[in-house]
Amino acid sequence: MLEARRLGYSYARGRRALEGVSLEVRPGDWLAVLGPNGSGKTTLLNLFLGLLRPSAGAVLLDGRPLSSWRAAARGRRLAYLPQNGPFPPGLSAREVVRLGRLPYLGLWKSEGPDDERAVDWALEVTECRDLSERHLAELSGGERQRVLLARALAQRPAYLLLDEPTNHLDLHHQAELLRLLGRLAAEGIGVVSVVHDPNHALAASRAVLLENGRLVDEGAPGAVVTGAAFRRVYAGDVRLLAAESGLAVLPRWGEER
Ligand code: ADP
Ligand code: MG
């Protein structure tokens, strides 16, 4: 289990970005993290990954404080798709995806068939096979996003954390990504995904809403996006529509506000 206990974080020069957040993510959960710009979503992911150290509270991975895990062991459990993540220049897509195997390679161990299988699988499920020999710098934003997702999947993580993963993706690849995350969760991976579009949260199994660094709602995604906290946070700016497949969440614009 991946667990945040009364988690707080303040940046050195800035206000408190996160306060008193308690959350549990179990294998097979798919948690969508909602909240306006600056509400602490990326900060929460970075704390979950051990990239930031909590100012208060703790993150526990499989019952142990994250700070007590060695980097390689943590890298076999947790993978990250950052928002606008940097990418190593001069490498082909396949070489980038292969970097996802680093947590499995000791100082003296070179890559074996398991590593190649994981790389092939990751390229396949992200529809990146045709891109494997292309250089990352030459890909479109959406293609690059899929390769970086493949790198995270090649880690074969127990928990996959993604920061606005549908950024840059066209509708087909958005749908593919949502299906893939659902499949990974069904296979027992714990997925935590920051989502920008509330409609994408509806695909998850659970949603949380952050506001000014605090967790203000948690529950079934449909209940969170129709809930009082969501309506208050986005006061007057959202419109909910009954849709063919359930519910659609749209921004409200024009005179009707
Ligand atoms: P979100 O991902 O929800 O948009 P973030 O977690 O990135 O929000 O940021 C939460 C708050 O922390 C914001 O007020 C943001 O301005 C601030 N913040 C983020 N990164 C830094 C930083 N490196 N230094 C200072 N403040 C930061
Ligand atoms: Mg963010």
Side-chain angles (χ1 to χ4, degrees):
M1 187 163 76
L2 185 59
E3 192 183 351
R5 282 198 189 154
R6 292 185 294 283
L7 203 54
Y9 190 78
S10 302
Y11 288 97
R13 294 172 342 104
R15 62 187 178 84
R16 188 163 295 216
L18 215 63
E19 195 165 357
V21 170
S22 294
L23 258 183
E24 291 177 1
V25 185
R26 292 168 194 279
D29 274 353
W30 176 4
L31 179 72
V33 181
L34 289 160
N37 295 146
S39 57
K41 304 181 298 295
T42 298
T43 304
L44 175 64
L45 286 195
N46 282 315
L47 288 163
F48 264 148
L49 287 151
L51 300 175
L52 294 176
R53 291 174 78 86
S55 316
V59 174
L60 284 88
L61 173 59
D62 302 337
R64 270 171 52 201
L66 206 53
S67 50
S68 74
W69 283 73
R70 284 170 175 274
R74 205 170 61 197
R76 293 190 290 264
R77 303 291 288 158
L78 304 175
Y80 186 30
L81 178 67
Q83 179 180 22
N84 309 316
F87 58 90
L91 296 184
S92 72
R94 191 179 179 86
E95 287 164 335
V96 169
V97 175
R98 207 178 271 136
L99 294 176
R101 298 305 294 170
L102 283 178
Y104 293 88
L105 305 176
L107 209 45
W108 311 111
K109 183 174 170 289
S110 55
E111 283 169 27
D114 279 357
D115 299 302
E116 285 310 302
R117 258 199 303 278
V119 169
D120 284 333
W121 170 80
L123 287 166
E124 178 75 37
V125 295
T126 53
E127 300 188 353
C128 283
R129 279 244 302 257
D130 292 346
L131 305 175
S132 5
E133 303 314 318
R134 306 262 307 274
H135 274 214
L136 226 58
E138 297 164 4
L139 300 180
S140 77
E143 290 169 338
R144 197 178 298 147
Q145 179 81 338
R146 275 152 49 209
V147 173
L148 295 176
L149 173 64
R151 177 180 65 181
L153 288 177
Q155 278 173 255
R156 289 297 208 168
Y159 296 92
L160 176 62
L161 295 94
L162 313 99
D163 203 347
E164 300 189 17
T166 51
N167 280 358
H168 307 293
L169 298 186
D170 63 35
L171 286 171
H172 164 72
H173 287 105
Q174 289 180 21
E176 272 299 312
L177 179 83
L178 295 173
R179 273 195 289 271
L180 176 60
L181 295 184
R183 222 160 59 224
L184 294 170
E187 287 168 12
I189 294 182
V191 178
V192 180
S193 163
V194 169
V195 298
H196 209 60
D197 183 339
N199 294 296
H200 297 171
L202 297 172
S205 54
R206 196 154 52 96
V208 294
L209 176 63
L210 286 176
E211 182 188 23
N212 294 327
R214 291 177 174 277
L215 211 157
V216 293
D217 202 6
E218 175 169 13
V224 170
V225 302
T226 54
F230 192 85
R231 288 201 304 267
R232 181 176 48 72
V233 167
Y234 291 104
D237 294 328
V238 286
R239 174 160 54 155
L240 298 168
L241 292 183
E244 188 191 346
S245 56
L247 185 68
V249 191
L250 297 178
R252 189 183 284 283
W253 66 87
E255 295 304 309
E256 36 170 78
R257 217 186 122 121

